Amino acid sequence: MNNGTITHTTYINTTPERVWQGLTDPELTSQYWGVRFDTDWKAGSPMTWDELGGHTADPEQIVLDSTPHRRLAYTWHTFTPQWAEAVGVSEGLRAELAAEPRTKVAFDIEPTGAMTRLTMAHEGFDPDGVMIGMCSGAWPLILSSLKTLLETGTPLPDPDAHAHEG
């Protein structure tokens, strides 16, 4: 985390197509992450995030790369007062998060035999900021819940407890 980047790799016993669906289908993202995305998943397209009733839209919240079943990248969401209220974040913490640089997250999807390797890289953090600590704790849980959902049909318990926290 010293360089402002979080990376995490997991292996999922499913196809690259199903992993892509897990990353992009709002019915699935809401199950394992508690977040629904509204976008057409084309590079350059805007994204809105809905989390626990906190709707987040911003012109800089966009899809950066979209190669179905191979790579997905987008900018991280904007920290609005509505988002903070919906997820129970104080105004002080929200202001700290909003003052940090906008980050981006990328997912690389690679077939590996009968499995799929999913590598997530979330970069652009202030290495001394608050957001990197919040996200570094949340990503392993989010990706583990995705893996569990795709392999068993059920996400890990209580997706709201590990909804993206940064």
Side-chain angles (χ1 to χ4, degrees):
M1 292 188 329
N2 297 353
N3 64 0
T5 300
I6 300 166
T7 59
H8 188 80
T9 299
T10 190
Y11 292 82
I12 305 173
N13 189 20
T14 193
T15 64
E17 293 79 10
R18 186 75 173 135
V19 172
W20 177 265
Q21 183 183 13
L23 294 172
T24 60
D25 182 334
E27 295 305 317
L28 295 176
T29 61
S30 64
Q31 288 182 58
Y32 71 86
W33 191 349
V35 176
R36 296 178 70 91
F37 299 107
D38 183 17
T39 184
D40 63 10
W41 296 113
K42 293 180 182 170
S45 291
M47 295 179 68
T48 59
W49 295 49
D50 287 296
E51 179 180 8
L52 302 175
H55 180 77
T56 308
D58 186 279
E60 293 182 27
Q61 223 169 257
I62 60 169
V63 177
L64 298 170
D65 190 352
S66 181
T67 306
H69 319 135
R70 300 292 299 165
R71 182 171 171 78
L72 180 66
Y74 48 85
T75 58
W76 203 240
H77 72 83
T78 304
F79 299 101
T80 64
Q82 182 189 22
W83 168 84
E85 184 178 336
V87 300
V89 168
S90 72
E91 175 54 26
L93 177 54
R94 186 208 65 84
E96 280 186 72
L97 293 168
E100 293 188 27
R102 185 177 299 274
T103 60
K104 65 180 181 177
V105 64
F107 301 92
D108 287 303
I109 303 165
E110 301 173 66
T112 307
M115 299 180 294
T116 299
R117 178 175 44 226
L118 175 63
T119 302
M120 180 280 308
H122 193 161
E123 61 185 25
F125 292 99
D126 172 352
D128 300 317
V130 173
M131 190 177 2
I132 193 168
M134 293 175 75
C135 289
S136 67
W139 274 121
L141 290 170
I142 292 166
L143 296 174
S144 292
S145 194
L146 168 63
K147 174 182 170 61
T148 301
L149 175 64
L150 294 178
E151 291 180 346
T152 71
T154 305
L156 293 176
D158 195 11
D160 294 338
H162 65 263
H164 78 89
E165 297 171 338

